[in-house]
Amino acid sequence: MATGVAAWLPFARAAAIGWMPVANCPMPVAPRDNSKRQDELIILNVSGRRFQTWRTTLDRYPDTLLGSSEKDFFYNEETKEYFFDRDPDAFRSILNFYRTGKLHYPRHECISAYDEELIFFGIIPEIIGDCCYEEYKDRKRENIERLQDDQEENKDMKLPNMSFRETVWRAFENPHTSTMALVFYYVTGFFIAVSVITNVVETVPCGSTTNQKDMPCGERYTVAFFCMDTACVMIFTVEYLLRLFAAPSRCRFMRSVMSIIDVMAILPYYIGLVMTNNEDVSGAFVTLRVFRVFRIFKFSRHSQGLRILGYTLKSCASELGFLLFSLTMAIIIFATVMFYAEKGSSSSKFTSIPASFWYTIVTMTTLGYGDMVPKTIAGKIFGSICSLSGVLVIALPVPVIVSNFSRIYHQNQRADKRRAQKKARLARIRIAKSNSANAFIQTKRNGLLNELLELTMGTEEDEQKLTKSTSLLESQHHHLLHCLEKTTAHEFVDELMYERNCLETALQTFSSRSPSISSHDSSVTTCCACRAKKHSSLPNTSLTHPIAAQQGPLQELSAIHIQCGDPPSHTASRSNLNLKSDDSCRINCKSGRITTAIISLPAPPALTDGDGLHGPPQRRPPPTIQTTTSSAGSNIVKVSAL
Amino acid sequence: MGIVMGTFSLQSKPVNYRKDKDDDDLEMTMVCHRPEGLDQLEALTNFSKRELQVLYRGFKNECPSGVVNEETFKQIYSQFFPQGDASTYAHYLFNAFDTTQSGSIKFEDFVTALSTLLRGSITEKLQWTFNLYDINRDGYINKEEMTGIVRAIYDMMGKYTYPALKTDAPKQHVDAFFQKMDKNRDGVVTLDEFILSCQEDENIMRSLQLFENVI
């Protein structure tokens, strides 16, 4: 049932008069409002603080505690008020939800306390208004992460049944799990350091030997350095291959940044091994050695800070790009100006505009090396303007960039969060909407059986079953939908039934119309087949199948149609009251005293409607039922169970 | 440097302009309407004071400004029919409620229409319904208008129905309707024909009294 617009239900029902002249079939009876209560004030005493509101305000949301009969459990007879032993501050926003239709999250509330209140009062958090929803979800996620971190620290126990591969992967990802992993972690870290230091020391001039030249150490102790390099590369290769073997998804691992860095760290060595010592390629070989410096990036596995820095740079790329672009603009402008200003002077270093770039950059960043200086007066003037503007151009965006770092970082995360939340939220709202649609179809089946019970000679238990009926609001809404069905002479069904009906109209030509037990069974089995095909998990239905097959045809009719229903999937919602009365009705069917005619109207034999109301024709009730009710006359329109 | 400063300042200008425009738009929508006093309304309609109070509280809660425009109306009505598309029928309803054709329904319009529908005589109800069907208010219901209405009603059912909705179901329905209502077979239904035919049909008579106890 639509929440929040319950006040407009009388209007919607009145507007239904517009359908009446168009309708061909008689309308169903309207539900009686047995409790003709005047609108009264209800007092809600929440831990001593008294709130008052109209009863109809609370009735707006019958799916919640305050809107349903559940609040009767909290009724205090002596003081004639409802007492709740809960937090009155949180209750304020809950009561405002009934009043305004919007649920707000007070920012000073603890998120888990608020959640508990919502759960207690039966309100789903998804209704929180847009103004407060983001804050609520953020706080909730923080809380969950905090709890998760606590849990993860306890998670370091070894799970007994992990395969060797999984153990190795876990060891790599989290070195603290075992001593072996820790040893490996430190060994690789050590070797990365050794490798980097080796690369550096290789180029240091190592004191002169008998050949008067100062040789870098690399050329003097070639063998030693080569052995060191080989050892490091061995270790790195082994590590990479082990990681590749242990990775749960090898493709994804190979595409990750760290693995690319690993490959680039060891590849130059192998390429160097393969290549010969030609003079032509040795130049390229030297270039390759530069890539060995990438080994330093392997440290990022060992340092959390490096990883965060890398990520922030990546996310600030657009801002950095803008800074670069504006700097480039300024550089080009000033370089051009300086070039033309210095063109006149002789022996000027400003030989071309690109040559002036160097001067401009050095001046704007206030480095001032002094290798290029302007000599003309115009050049000096423009040079000073260049250095002053350099200060501003660099100094202004840098704090903006720094603050953008944190802003963009958080904003990116929030935007992704919101997108993911929105999808999930919309999906949940769609489910709730389809549930309300299905609730009507469900109630139709039960409601008709309830009315059956009303008309029979009721025993004690029948009366008790009656009291479990749906709320007045819901019954009125369903009556409205029922009238629409009658107007158009079509019924509402849910998606499952619709598709099954389409299937069966195709099969209909082959089946006989005899209401024998075998046909019932066959229809039951097609029922099964359809459902199995659709992979819908309706646990209730699987339970009732064997029961249905064993009962007599009378019960089978109603039982089949109940079990073909689609129970609302949210077990926590109160509309499951429908389901409960469903069970009771089925139990009552066993007594076998039920007649199927509800409204015996001497209608003209426009029995197309009658057929339309039944299920597929092979489920027409067997003649035994008809005889018990046809005493009143021959043209009885069966408005019975579907 | 000046150019750089210039570009920075230029960027900030359009934002201010846009914000002012939004503020203006906001002010325009804050139109409020208060209904006449409770006593006058009680005299105008067939409701008691108590019932009017309940009705107004519900109305004011959904529409704090006191008027309903067509969009809100469609939204509210659509919530009762989640399976199908109720917007077309809501449009016709809106026009029927909005007797002054002002584009919005005030509480007085709302309550007078409800009074006719729930507490009026059979003739008044039938008149109101005729008014609803007669989309162009020319005093005649022709086949196009009726087809539009019936199609709108069928739209509210949505796709998943039993038996499956065929495309010519509205047309057949309209033909049956005209068969019954159009006495002189001139292709249109006038108010008198309509009232007469409805009075002959017991189903319709009975169903018109279905909603007496709605409030």
Side-chain angles (χ1 to χ4, degrees):
Chain A
M1 170 62 195
T3 54
V5 289
W8 288 70
L9 189 58
F11 145 72
R13 300 184 68 208
I17 289 197
W19 309 334
M20 300 302 147
V22 177
N24 293 328
C25 338
M27 291 291 142
V29 178
R32 273 169 288 145
D33 189 359
N34 291 327
S35 56
K36 262 291 197 180
R37 288 185 297 235
Q38 296 286 7
D39 202 9
E40 47 169 348
L41 277 179
I42 295 189
I43 304 178
L44 301 161
N45 185 347
V46 183
S47 300
R49 205 186 301 179
R50 280 184 177 72
F51 298 86
Q52 293 186 343
T53 181
W54 296 108
R55 180 176 290 277
T56 46
T57 310
L58 294 182
D59 285 341
R60 266 187 221 143
Y61 297 97
D63 273 352
T64 59
L65 185 151
L66 291 173
S68 67
S69 56
E70 193 180 346
K71 63 178 184 284
D72 295 336
F73 285 102
F74 299 92
Y75 189 64
N76 188 347
E77 289 290 344
E78 296 106 53
T79 51
K80 295 269 187 276
E81 60 189 19
Y82 293 87
F83 182 77
F84 296 96
D85 204 5
R86 311 290 299 184
D87 184 10
D89 289 328
F91 188 76
R92 217 171 48 87
S93 47
I94 288 175
L95 194 54
N96 279 339
F97 166 61
Y98 287 90
R99 293 182 181 136
T100 61
K102 287 211 261 303
L103 182 62
H104 294 279
Y105 169 59
R107 275 157 177 74
H108 59 84
E109 279 286 332
C110 165
I111 185 71
S112 31
Y114 189 71
D115 254 350
E116 276 175 22
E117 295 296 311
L118 285 186
I119 293 174
F120 179 82
F121 287 103
I123 299 174
I124 53 174
E126 273 68 35
I127 315 183
I128 293 183
D130 286 329
C131 38
C132 302
Y133 192 66
E134 192 185 321
E135 169 89 20
Y136 170 81
K137 269 293 182 206
D138 286 345
R139 299 268 293 263
K140 193 153 184 191
R141 170 148 335 163
E142 274 177 40
N143 204 30
I144 290 177
E145 281 170 1
R146 205 177 305 133
L147 292 174
Q148 253 180 12
D149 287 341
D150 291 343
Q151 273 178 14
E152 264 179 17
E153 284 174 10
N154 303 336
K155 210 182 55 167
D156 280 339
M157 307 163 292
K158 231 186 271 209
L159 306 165
N161 296 336
M162 282 200 311
S163 69
F164 175 66
R165 188 172 159 185
E166 285 176 356
T167 329
V168 170
W169 182 250
R170 242 181 105 227
F172 274 129
E173 292 299 301
N174 194 0
H176 300 283
T177 47
S178 69
T179 24
M180 263 312 288
L182 210 54
V183 161
F184 193 76
Y185 178 73
Y186 283 126
V187 160
T188 41
F190 172 71
F191 270 97
I192 295 174
V194 160
S195 161
V196 168
I197 291 175
T198 314
N199 282 347
V200 167
V201 168
E202 231 179 14
T203 57
V204 170
C206 236
S208 47
T209 65
T210 47
N211 338 342
Q212 281 153 338
K213 245 188 348 179
D214 246 347
M215 284 168 48
C217 283
E219 288 178 22
R220 194 153 163 205
Y221 303 105
T222 322
V223 177
F225 278 103
F226 181 72
C227 290
M228 199 91 82
D229 206 19
T230 313
C232 293
V233 171
M234 282 294 111
I235 301 271
F236 296 153
T237 318
V238 163
E239 183 202 355
Y240 180 71
L241 288 175
L242 269 180
R243 273 184 207 263
L244 191 62
F245 158 72
S249 156
R250 296 216 173 102
C251 290
R252 201 159 53 96
F253 172 73
M254 286 184 77
R255 279 183 302 190
S256 71
V257 176
M258 286 313 299
S259 96
I260 292 178
I261 290 178
D262 287 339
V263 166
M264 284 179 65
I266 58 181
L267 217 48
Y269 175 81
Y270 288 112
I271 295 181
L273 276 185
V274 165
M275 280 197 320
T276 59
N277 256 340
N278 274 353
E279 280 301 314
D280 313 328
V281 294
S282 69
F285 182 64
V286 166
T287 324
L288 270 181
R289 289 174 88 97
V290 168
F291 281 93
R292 289 190 304 175
V293 81
F294 273 88
R295 288 178 195 166
I296 208 170
F297 284 114
K298 287 168 69 74
F299 266 127
S300 61
R301 272 217 188 89
H302 298 251
S303 157
Q304 173 84 344
L306 269 180
R307 277 204 294 267
I308 291 178
L309 181 66
Y311 179 76
T312 10
L313 281 176
K314 197 165 53 143
S315 64
C316 274
S318 66
E319 294 292 304
L320 286 175
F322 171 70
L323 174 63
L324 220 59
F325 176 69
S326 61
L327 271 179
T328 313
M329 261 175 41
I331 288 171
I332 293 177
I333 290 172
F334 279 109
T336 316
V337 166
M338 289 308 294
F339 171 71
Y340 283 110
E342 284 291 302
K343 203 159 178 203
S345 83
S346 56
S347 74
S348 149
K349 292 243 177 65
F350 294 79
T351 48
S352 64
I353 295 187
S356 312
F357 282 167
W358 174 245
Y359 169 77
T360 318
I361 292 176
V362 165
T363 314
M364 281 183 88
T365 53
T366 69
L367 278 175
Y369 288 138
D371 53 349
M372 281 165 86
V373 282
K375 292 201 174 60
T376 60
I377 297 184
K380 285 188 179 157
I381 292 175
F382 285 118
S384 37
I385 295 178
C386 176
S387 72
L388 285 176
S389 74
V391 168
L392 282 172
V393 170
I394 303 262
L396 271 180
V398 166
V400 173
I401 295 250
V402 163
S403 73
N404 273 0
F405 268 4
S406 48
R407 187 177 59 85
I408 290 174
Y409 180 73
H410 288 294
Q411 209 180 46
N412 267 353
Q413 293 213 316
R414 241 185 287 140
D416 289 332
K417 258 189 278 178
R418 223 180 303 139
R419 243 175 280 133
Q421 284 167 19
K422 191 173 181 187
K423 261 197 296 186
R425 203 171 157 207
L426 285 177
R428 259 180 244 127
I429 289 179
R430 221 179 303 131
I431 290 177
K433 210 177 163 199
S434 75
N435 275 348
S436 82
N438 288 338
F440 169 63
I441 296 169
Q442 188 68 25
T443 316
K444 243 197 324 187
R445 298 189 173 107
N446 305 325
L448 289 169
L449 287 166
N450 270 341
E451 289 171 27
L452 274 175
L453 297 174
E454 265 181 39
L455 292 172
T456 59
M457 296 76 68
T459 61
E460 294 293 324
E461 40 180 286
D462 288 345
E463 295 296 333
Q464 281 175 10
K465 301 299 184 298
L466 262 186
T467 56
K468 271 202 220 170
S469 59
T470 58
S471 76
L472 182 67
L473 211 62
E474 217 165 319
S475 62
Q476 286 177 349
H477 183 219
H478 290 160
H479 175 250
L480 183 67
L481 291 173
H482 208 166
C483 287
L484 182 59
E485 283 185 338
K486 287 299 161 72
T487 309
T488 56
H490 288 74
E491 285 169 11
F492 285 114
V493 294
D494 56 21
E495 198 167 333
L496 213 63
M497 272 279 259
Y498 176 69
E499 273 151 27
R500 198 181 312 127
N501 289 338
C502 289
L503 200 68
E504 275 165 351
T505 45
L507 298 173
Q508 208 179 340
T509 47
F510 300 112
S511 65
S512 69
R513 295 167 84 85
S514 67
S516 63
I517 304 288
S518 56
S519 80
H520 278 295
D521 285 345
S522 69
S523 59
V524 167
T525 49
T526 54
C527 216
C528 280
C530 275
R531 201 170 299 113
K533 241 194 317 176
K534 305 272 188 270
H535 305 288
S536 59
S537 56
L538 304 169
N540 296 357
T541 58
S542 57
L543 285 176
T544 57
H545 254 279
I547 302 175
Q550 288 156 20
Q551 285 175 352
L554 163 61
Q555 296 86 334
E556 200 170 357
L557 172 67
S558 33
I560 287 177
H561 287 281
I562 294 173
Q563 82 191 5
C564 289
D566 197 7
S569 51
H570 287 241
T571 50
S573 94
R574 272 148 230 275
S575 53
N576 264 338
L577 284 176
N578 292 345
L579 265 183
K580 297 207 183 82
S581 53
D582 176 7
D583 288 322
S584 66
C585 287
R586 216 172 325 113
I587 297 170
N588 218 10
C589 286
K590 283 200 183 125
S591 63
R593 287 198 291 153
I594 296 179
T595 60
T596 53
I598 298 173
I599 302 168
S600 357
L601 299 166
L607 278 170
T608 48
D609 351 295
D611 278 348
L613 296 169
H614 289 293
Q618 59 242 47
R619 299 213 183 110
R620 184 163 295 146
T624 52
I625 300 177
Q626 282 175 342
T627 48
T628 55
T629 58
S630 56
S631 50
S634 49
N635 6 344
I636 290 180
V637 175
K638 290 225 169 3
V639 190
S640 69
L642 310 155
Chain B
M1 177 185 82
I3 297 170
V4 172
M5 296 301 292
T7 41
F8 277 149
S9 60
L10 268 178
Q11 268 178 0
S12 53
K13 262 219 181 114
V15 178
N16 283 337
Y17 170 68
R18 240 180 281 128
K19 262 212 282 200
D20 286 337
K21 201 155 121 32
D22 283 340
D23 284 341
D24 284 337
D25 284 339
L26 208 55
E27 281 169 21
M28 295 275 286
T29 53
M30 283 301 182
V31 169
C32 242
H33 177 85
R34 272 193 196 96
E36 312 162 11
L38 200 50
D39 298 320
Q40 286 107 306
L41 276 181
E42 192 188 3
L44 274 176
T45 65
N46 303 332
F47 290 124
S48 72
K49 272 215 175 99
R50 260 298 166 118
E51 291 164 338
L52 283 173
Q53 278 179 344
V54 169
L55 277 175
Y56 187 67
R57 284 207 294 267
F59 184 83
K60 179 93 177 170
N61 215 33
E62 278 306 311
C63 319
S65 58
V67 292
V68 196
N69 59 1
E70 187 162 345
E71 271 317 302
T72 322
F73 191 85
K74 279 187 181 167
Q75 270 173 21
I76 292 175
Y77 199 69
S78 302
Q79 290 203 25
F80 293 106
F81 303 98
Q83 287 106 322
D85 173 28
S87 49
T88 331
Y89 189 69
H91 169 75
Y92 295 134
L93 265 186
F94 187 85
N95 286 338
F97 269 76
D98 186 14
T99 43
T100 53
Q101 300 300 313
S102 60
S104 63
I105 299 180
K106 300 183 283 296
F107 183 63
E108 290 96 336
D109 303 327
F110 180 70
V111 105
T112 32
L114 273 190
S115 163
T116 318
L117 286 173
L118 298 176
R119 302 284 163 91
S121 67
I122 297 279
T123 326
E124 287 173 356
K125 289 182 189 173
L126 287 175
Q127 241 170 359
W128 191 91
T129 316
F130 184 85
N131 219 19
L132 171 71
Y133 294 162
D134 184 15
I135 301 175
N136 56 2
R137 309 289 147 116
D138 62 352
Y140 300 104
I141 305 178
N142 54 12
K143 273 216 165 144
E144 287 79 26
E145 292 171 336
M146 206 55 218
T147 315
I149 297 270
V150 171
R151 202 181 297 274
I153 295 180
Y154 273 83
D155 282 344
M156 284 197 283
M157 288 294 290
K159 191 174 122 178
Y160 301 117
T161 60
Y162 179 78
L165 271 177
K166 304 189 188 51
T167 39
D168 64 344
K171 185 173 174 311
Q172 284 181 354
H173 210 132
V174 169
D175 289 336
F177 179 83
F178 266 80
Q179 190 83 350
K180 192 164 54 159
M181 301 277 167
D182 190 8
K183 298 279 187 218
N184 56 1
R185 302 270 171 262
D186 61 353
V188 291
V189 178
T190 63
L191 180 59
D192 301 316
E193 284 177 345
F194 184 71
I195 295 183
L196 218 63
S197 318
C198 289
Q199 277 172 342
E200 288 170 2
D201 188 340
E202 283 206 37
N203 272 343
I204 298 182
M205 284 290 113
R206 200 170 309 123
S207 55
L208 281 179
Q209 282 151 357
L210 201 54
F211 297 108
E212 305 260 275
N213 59 343
V214 158
I215 301 261

